[in-house]
Amino acid sequence: SWTTVSALAARVDRLRFGTLVSGNTYRHPAVLAKMAATLDHISGGRAVLGLGAGWQENEHAAYGIPFYTVRERLARLDEACAVVKALFTEERACFEGRYYQLRDAPLEPKPVQETLPLLIGGGGEKVTLRIAAKWADEWNVWGTVDTMKHKMAVLDRHCDEVGRDPKAIQRSAVALLFLSDDAGFVAKVSQSVDRAHIAGNAEQVAETVRAYAEAGVDELIVPDFTLGGRSQKLETLDRFISEIAPAGR
């Protein structure tokens, strides 16, 4: 993904680029920080570093990458965030953790952005959201409007506990989109899809998008893998942008 977004960033000048999210277990966080800073330069300051604890066990098994326990993966994520922030902000970074160590480590050139956003992905309420409260510039999770309201309230409590202003963290949601004027299809989707999703005609979807915004969601991310073939995807996304997106702005 990082190679792909770097190639895209060199050709497309109107979008932010990043991962949603990179599993921390795949790379040392210092290496990942250098990759993100390079992408920021390629894109002219439009990079986002999305980072999560990692969950794709079959990939780890296939490539011989240690998977660790959930507790260990989360502990590594917490330290990785500290490593990334130190490298982005300090001339020479030092860090002594259980899993990662930096000794007068350089990262030059620094990112173009004064703050290259560190986006933490995940909704675990006891640990992941606390890590987000400590380190995240942006936070993302799959969720309906009700799910987002609940998770954001938990995130806010963690922010209070760690002494961070909750408003310092941008909040984003991911939900599948099923845009259709076929009421029967919409009803079927609503009953059968078990992930967070938005389904309905343009007016209904716009109402849901407006509800996300009113709940405090800053960005709504719509994956394209339920939108059909290339031409249908473009048609649906164009319609979403023109007819629906204004409801969330």
Side-chain angles (χ1 to χ4, degrees):
S1 59
W2 284 92
T3 310
T4 302
V5 295
S6 295
L8 286 170
R11 301 294 299 273
V12 179
D13 61 6
R14 65 186 188 279
L15 302 172
R16 297 201 303 162
F17 291 91
T19 53
L20 199 67
V21 289
S22 290
N24 178 57
T25 46
Y26 295 130
R27 303 172 186 86
H28 192 289
V31 175
L32 185 62
K34 285 175 170 283
M35 294 165 60
T38 300
L39 175 62
D40 207 42
H41 280 269
I42 291 171
S43 65
R46 291 175 289 130
V48 179
L49 173 50
L51 191 61
W55 63 273
Q56 192 84 36
E57 185 173 5
N58 60 338
E59 269 189 348
H60 290 75
Y63 298 121
I65 299 171
F67 190 55
Y68 313 112
T69 65
V70 172
R71 181 186 295 273
E72 289 172 328
R73 294 200 303 276
L74 288 168
R76 281 174 164 81
L77 174 63
D78 191 21
E79 287 193 11
C81 293
V83 166
V84 168
K85 287 288 189 177
L87 287 167
F88 282 170
T89 58
E90 298 173 15
E91 183 176 351
R92 291 276 179 167
C94 294
F95 178 78
E96 192 66 34
R98 179 176 180 181
Y99 305 105
Y100 306 115
Q101 296 81 39
L102 300 176
R103 296 182 179 88
D104 293 325
L107 191 156
E108 292 292 344
K110 297 297 186 191
V112 174
Q113 299 175 81
E114 183 176 350
T115 300
L116 193 164
L118 175 60
L119 181 152
I120 304 299
E125 296 181 8
K126 292 182 179 180
V127 182
T128 304
L129 289 181
R130 187 174 181 85
I131 293 172
K134 289 169 61 179
W135 301 110
D137 302 296
E138 302 180 17
W139 162 74
N140 175 269
V141 74
W142 283 82
T144 63
V145 173
D146 288 342
T147 298
M148 294 305 298
K149 288 179 180 178
H150 172 72
K151 297 288 186 183
M152 290 191 294
V154 175
L155 178 61
D156 289 349
R157 289 198 295 271
H158 282 303
C159 285
D160 289 340
E161 291 168 2
V162 301
R164 186 125 184 261
D165 182 358
K167 295 179 181 178
I169 304 173
Q170 296 288 300
R171 292 106 194 279
S172 64
V174 183
L176 299 176
L177 173 65
F178 298 93
L179 178 60
S180 175
D181 295 316
D182 183 341
F185 170 76
V186 170
K188 182 179 179 181
V189 164
S190 298
Q191 293 173 1
S192 61
V193 176
D194 60 359
R195 301 193 77 170
H197 63 277
I198 307 169
N201 59 32
E203 182 178 352
Q204 292 167 328
V205 172
E207 183 179 348
T208 303
V209 169
R210 188 178 297 108
Y212 274 105
E214 291 173 351
V217 174
D218 300 294
E219 184 177 28
L220 177 62
I221 297 171
V222 177
D224 73 347
F225 50 78
T226 61
L227 304 184
R230 176 180 169 80
S231 61
Q232 186 178 351
K233 284 180 182 180
L234 292 174
E235 179 182 346
T236 301
L237 289 172
D238 283 342
R239 189 179 175 195
F240 186 89
I241 291 169
S242 62
E243 300 180 33
I244 297 163
R249 292 174 180 154

